[in-house]
Amino acid sequence: MGELPLDINIQEPRWDQSSFMGRARHFFTVTDPRNLLLSGAQLEASRNIVQNYRAGVVSPGLTEDQLWRAKYVYDSAFHPDTGEKVVLIGRMSAQVPMNMTITGCMLTFYRQTPTVVFWQWVNQSFNAVVNYSNRSGDAPITVRQLGTAYVSATTGAVATALGLKSLTKHLPPLVSRFVPFAAVAAANCINIPLMRQRELQVGIPVTDEAGQRLGHSVAAAKQGIFQVVVSRICMAIPAMAIPPVIMDTLEKKDFLKRRPWLGAPLQVGLVGFCLVFATPLCCALFPQRSSINVSRLEPELRSQIREQNPSLEVVYYNKGL
């Protein structure tokens, strides 16, 4: 076998991102929880392989599969803009185990007000870590923005949860089990726009198909943030809608009545099973590199683009996660 060629584009995902299946395969790899088990030495080895390859140096005996594996390990643990190692619970590979535990507890301990408040606070604290760890280099998050988003999302989630809890007191128990989902959906609608408020103020970079930057657009930012909110809410639906129905049925059976201590671990397991599939599939709903028609951009930017390239009809942007 000859030496690995240097023309493999590891700046982009391995699979075609124009198709849903290609995006799904990419995110199944990115969110793989097994990456959390890798040692510091393994992470450093992957970083060296990727950085050396980008510098034109190929490790002896390196295969294409090993290169792509190193690239995904590197991407799972290091920030793409700063190169810093991301805190463990802030990595995309921690999404399933962390959300599995937190969501399972939110669905289990939904009856008492103190536990509702506590688990909504834990959930928003985790979201703040994730949002900060995966911040964009083009639109850095200040401590003040992070604090505002954290307090607002936590307040919104707790207020929604407690408000709906009081409204569902006289309704069937199954209805009350869906209160945590409503709270999480409300928090996403608050948290994500606030966390990305700078993008809504100054816009995000838009490019042509070749990647040439054309300017900044608030319209593209609004579309991207809307897509992320939809993805996050859809991500929560299977994990917060299916287990409550199953648990409501199981809790009426003698098996769980005799073993009530099994309720919490069983619910966490059901949530985890749903999240293993829901997390990557919902991340893949929209292309990471999304597009918007030039006609929908701001008048000033639209005029500027039409003046430079009259035939250009579509521009592209990174929607975020």
Side-chain angles (χ1 to χ4, degrees):
M1 291 179 63
E3 192 175 79
L4 195 67
L6 290 170
D7 59 354
I8 300 172
N9 184 11
I10 59 171
Q11 296 295 111
E12 298 293 332
R14 184 174 191 177
W15 297 282
D16 176 21
Q17 297 299 285
S18 65
S19 71
F20 175 77
M21 288 307 299
R23 296 194 297 272
R25 292 184 71 182
H26 167 69
F27 281 109
F28 266 109
T29 307
V30 169
T31 61
D32 187 345
R34 292 175 299 179
N35 288 334
L36 295 175
L37 303 176
L38 297 173
S39 66
Q42 288 172 304
L43 295 178
E44 287 300 327
S46 294
R47 176 159 72 170
N48 289 337
I49 289 172
V50 171
Q51 290 181 340
N52 286 343
Y53 187 83
R54 286 173 178 168
V57 179
V58 179
S59 304
L62 184 70
T63 66
E64 185 173 348
D65 284 340
Q66 289 172 337
L67 174 64
W68 281 112
R69 173 60 183 159
K71 178 251 191 317
Y72 275 105
V73 168
Y74 172 77
D75 287 351
S76 77
F78 296 92
H79 192 279
D81 296 319
T82 65
E84 297 172 353
K85 188 182 290 184
V86 176
V87 63
L88 194 70
I89 65 170
R91 300 174 191 172
M92 286 303 292
S93 49
Q95 285 287 298
V96 171
M98 288 299 298
N99 278 322
M100 170 178 116
T101 305
I102 295 170
T103 304
C105 289
M106 281 196 292
L107 292 175
T108 302
F109 307 109
Y110 68 94
R111 293 183 177 92
Q112 302 297 322
T113 298
T115 54
V116 169
V117 173
F118 175 75
W119 284 107
Q120 290 294 340
W121 168 73
V122 170
N123 186 46
Q124 293 311 315
S125 299
F126 170 63
N127 285 341
V129 173
V130 171
N131 287 329
Y132 181 75
S133 300
N134 294 282
R135 66 197 183 278
S136 168
D138 277 336
I141 303 168
T142 65
V143 174
R144 183 175 179 179
Q145 289 172 333
L146 188 68
T148 301
Y150 173 60
V151 172
S152 301
T154 304
T155 304
V158 171
T160 303
L162 295 181
L164 290 177
K165 183 174 176 290
S166 65
L167 291 174
T168 56
K169 279 181 181 178
H170 306 295
L171 295 175
L174 180 59
V175 177
S176 300
R177 289 179 177 272
F178 290 98
V179 168
F181 167 68
V184 167
N188 277 328
C189 293
I190 298 168
N191 196 348
I192 296 169
L194 280 173
M195 196 61 69
R196 297 175 62 174
Q197 59 185 283
R198 187 174 182 275
E199 297 175 26
L200 294 171
Q201 293 165 356
V202 301
I204 58 176
V206 294
T207 68
D208 58 18
E209 194 170 5
Q212 183 69 35
R213 186 172 293 195
L214 304 170
H216 286 73
S217 170
V218 172
K222 289 178 180 177
Q223 180 173 294
I225 289 171
F226 173 76
Q227 291 175 346
V228 171
V229 169
V230 170
S231 294
R232 294 276 187 97
I233 292 175
C234 289
M235 202 182 295
I237 289 174
M240 302 191 84
I242 297 173
V245 176
I246 296 174
M247 291 303 297
D248 191 64
T249 303
L250 291 178
E251 285 178 0
K252 295 172 184 175
K253 307 291 184 184
D254 289 338
F255 179 78
L256 268 189
K257 284 181 179 178
R258 292 197 302 267
R259 304 170 183 83
W261 54 271
L262 271 177
L266 184 57
Q267 183 128 250
V268 170
L270 286 170
V271 169
F273 179 77
C274 293
L275 284 173
V276 164
F277 299 97
T279 300
L281 292 177
C282 290
C283 282
L285 285 176
F286 303 100
Q288 186 67 34
R289 188 181 183 227
S290 291
S291 62
I292 185 171
N293 287 330
V294 173
S295 60
R296 295 182 56 195
L297 299 175
E298 295 81 348
E300 300 85 0
L301 180 59
R302 186 168 62 236
S303 300
Q304 178 185 321
I305 292 173
R306 290 259 164 85
E307 187 178 326
Q308 295 174 354
N309 193 341
S311 62
L312 191 63
E313 294 295 332
V314 177
V315 293
Y316 300 88
Y317 63 91
N318 179 6
K319 73 173 176 66
L321 283 173

